[in-house]
Amino acid sequence: MKRLLTLLTVLISFAAASWAQTPMQEAEEFYRQGKFSAALGIYESELKNRPNDPYVYYNIGNCYFKMGSKGLAAANYYRAFKLAPRDADIRHNLTLALAAGGERLVPAGMPLVLHKAFFYLSYPEVRGLTFGLLWLFCTLGGIWLIKRKFGRTLAACAVILLLSGGWLYVRRALEIQHLAVVAAPVAEIRSGPGTNFPASASVAQGHLVMVQDAKDTWYEVIVKSQGIKGWVEKSAVEQI
């Protein structure tokens, strides 16, 4: 009898655990109900356990977009895009969020297919591919030196390695850029790091900026789409 009661207790506990919602499911339910702030709180909490999950960033971006914070939405979509560049939904939503701020994901004049090809792999994937090709090239080179075999394969591998190395070089240059998005409704660009310096321009929410330097509570930035350089308060932008 005791064994039966123990078994029933275990089964009931297992069933209760199965029926209980995970935090992500709970957040999705809040989102479906239009409770975007509640969903956002759960998603942001989940980042502690899943810091490299592109879909957590994607869902955070969706919440911000629904709440009218296009700049913060774009920042989180961009984070998701860097982790999962092949995901069509992430690319689509990032394009929409940037367009809302007057920005473009695909630079003017660049064919969409070329942009998709360039970002087909994430930066870690490009790095892994390049080092894998380097290992293969070294292996084939050793075989060729010893047995004089696979010469053509070695030459083809060298060409592919050079192309991959160039791809990695350009992607790394983009990766180490300090990119940010204007999160405030309007960010004033000043000639120096302080409100005592005159404002030379103002930039609307959602614009991309390149962070060049920092001093106290200010960033020196370049507004990519307008070619404007100046200082902006750190609280007005969200670094990606």
Side-chain angles (χ1 to χ4, degrees):
M1 186 64 179
K2 288 184 178 180
R3 290 183 179 179
L4 180 59
L5 289 173
T6 302
L7 179 60
L8 286 173
T9 301
V10 171
L11 290 174
I12 291 171
S13 300
F14 178 78
S18 301
W19 292 332
Q21 287 186 318
T22 65
M24 292 293 286
Q25 290 172 331
E26 186 179 4
E28 289 168 8
E29 184 62 30
F30 279 135
Y31 186 87
R32 283 193 293 268
Q33 295 173 4
K35 300 176 181 178
F36 306 120
S37 181
L40 176 63
I42 295 174
Y43 286 132
E44 290 186 329
S45 179
E46 279 297 291
L47 279 178
K48 299 173 185 176
N49 303 319
R50 306 162 75 165
N52 296 314
D53 189 333
Y55 301 105
V56 177
Y57 288 113
Y58 173 72
N59 287 324
I60 290 173
N62 286 340
C63 290
Y64 275 123
F65 196 88
K66 290 291 187 180
M67 295 165 66
S69 299
K70 302 298 192 297
L72 290 173
N76 283 281
Y77 287 145
Y78 219 117
R79 290 165 181 150
F81 178 73
K82 290 173 71 173
L83 293 167
R86 293 185 295 278
D87 189 283
D89 290 334
I90 291 174
R91 172 180 277 271
H92 175 74
N93 284 19
L94 173 58
T95 301
L96 286 179
L98 290 176
E103 292 281 357
R104 299 170 57 99
L105 175 61
V106 182
M110 175 181 283
L112 177 60
V113 65
L114 180 60
H115 189 270
K116 286 185 175 181
F118 183 73
F119 287 101
Y120 185 76
L121 300 180
S122 65
Y123 173 70
E125 290 172 337
V126 176
R127 185 176 55 193
L129 173 65
T130 303
F131 281 104
L133 287 169
L134 179 60
W135 176 86
L136 179 60
F137 175 78
C138 293
T139 302
L140 290 172
I143 295 173
W144 183 82
L145 287 173
I146 295 171
K147 298 185 176 181
R148 290 297 191 271
K149 291 183 177 180
F150 306 119
R152 291 184 179 179
T153 305
L154 177 62
C157 183
V159 172
I160 297 172
L161 177 59
L162 285 172
L163 293 173
S164 182
W167 189 13
L168 177 63
Y169 178 82
V170 178
R171 288 294 298 273
R172 173 168 170 74
L174 294 174
E175 191 71 17
I176 62 176
Q177 287 180 345
H178 297 291
L179 194 63
V181 178
V182 175
V186 176
E188 290 187 331
I189 308 298
R190 297 183 177 273
S191 59
T195 54
N196 56 313
F197 290 91
S200 56
S202 60
V203 184
Q205 179 179 193
H207 274 75
L208 293 173
V209 299
M210 297 286 302
V211 178
Q212 302 291 298
D213 197 3
K215 184 177 181 180
D216 299 327
T217 60
W218 294 81
Y219 284 136
E220 184 181 29
V221 301
I222 295 175
V223 184
K224 294 187 65 178
S225 59
Q226 300 178 21
I228 302 170
K229 185 174 182 179
W231 292 81
V232 64
E233 289 187 275
K234 290 181 178 180
S235 60
V237 300
E238 176 78 5
Q239 282 200 285
I240 298 171

